[in-house]
Amino acid sequence: MADINHCLSKTLVERYGQNTLFVLEDLTNVTFEKSNSNKGQTRELHSWSFYDLQTKLIYKAQRNQSQVLIVSAKYTSQRCPRCGQIRKENRNHSLHEYKCVNCGFRTNDDRVGAMNLQELGKQYISGIEKPKFELNNVTD
């Protein structure tokens, strides 16, 4: 996994070049469990080193005059990038689908997370030191 992380971080920095802001979710202590997977797959999912990828990317980005911003993962997959509403029911995990019950925006759930990370990056560039999504749009 260390070699994969090395290759991935190197590719990202080379692909996007100097003065790039990479925005990552803080995935400290995150694991991915699948209830119906065999033991080998489960171990592989648990052993993926997000921290290792993060540190390699930070190191390579700094050497290339770029930066890595670590943001809270809170609400990044629940927030509608179009209208800003945050609702758990917008995301269907089993179908990997996101559909906003407020405005009807529909896309892949991973894409929504990426779009929201991009928004947090824009906030940071505009001068917000610790960008995050506000709780005033949260509904249950």
Side-chain angles (χ1 to χ4, degrees):
M1 295 319 270
D3 184 55
I4 290 171
N5 285 341
H6 165 72
C7 293
L8 179 57
S9 59
K10 181 179 177 184
T11 299
L12 287 169
V13 170
E14 288 176 354
R15 167 70 172 92
Y16 292 101
Q18 293 182 337
N19 302 312
T20 297
L21 176 64
F22 296 96
V23 183
L24 301 178
E25 292 178 326
D26 182 1
L27 297 176
T28 305
N29 299 322
V30 170
T31 59
F32 294 93
E33 292 189 41
K34 290 190 176 185
S35 57
N36 294 328
S37 63
N38 69 39
K39 289 181 182 180
Q41 289 175 323
T42 302
R43 190 177 75 156
E44 187 174 320
L45 290 169
H46 282 281
S47 65
W48 182 269
S49 176
F50 294 107
Y51 181 75
D52 182 56
L53 175 60
Q54 176 184 310
T55 56
K56 283 177 171 52
L57 184 59
I58 289 169
Y59 171 74
K60 290 176 176 73
Q62 288 174 343
R63 287 183 48 193
N64 198 40
Q65 299 166 352
S66 291
Q67 183 178 354
V68 176
L69 174 66
I70 308 298
V71 297
S72 171
K74 200 168 195 174
Y75 308 121
T76 57
S77 60
Q78 297 174 10
R79 179 186 174 273
C80 178
R82 182 175 289 161
C83 72
Q85 285 290 320
I86 299 172
R87 296 184 184 193
K88 288 181 182 181
E89 63 268 21
N90 286 345
R91 184 176 186 198
N92 183 325
H93 289 276
S94 61
L95 297 176
H96 298 287
E97 182 180 61
Y98 179 92
K99 184 176 180 188
C100 180
V101 296
N102 186 54
C103 74
F105 178 73
R106 187 178 195 160
T107 191
N108 175 274
D109 61 351
D110 289 328
R111 183 170 183 245
V112 164
M115 292 170 78
N116 283 318
L117 289 177
Q118 181 183 28
E119 175 60 30
L120 292 172
K122 288 179 185 178
Q123 289 179 19
Y124 180 78
I125 289 171
S126 72
I128 299 172
E129 190 175 322
K130 294 184 178 184
K132 62 183 179 183
F133 296 120
E134 297 299 325
L135 296 176
N136 58 355
N137 284 338
V138 177
T139 57
D140 290 319

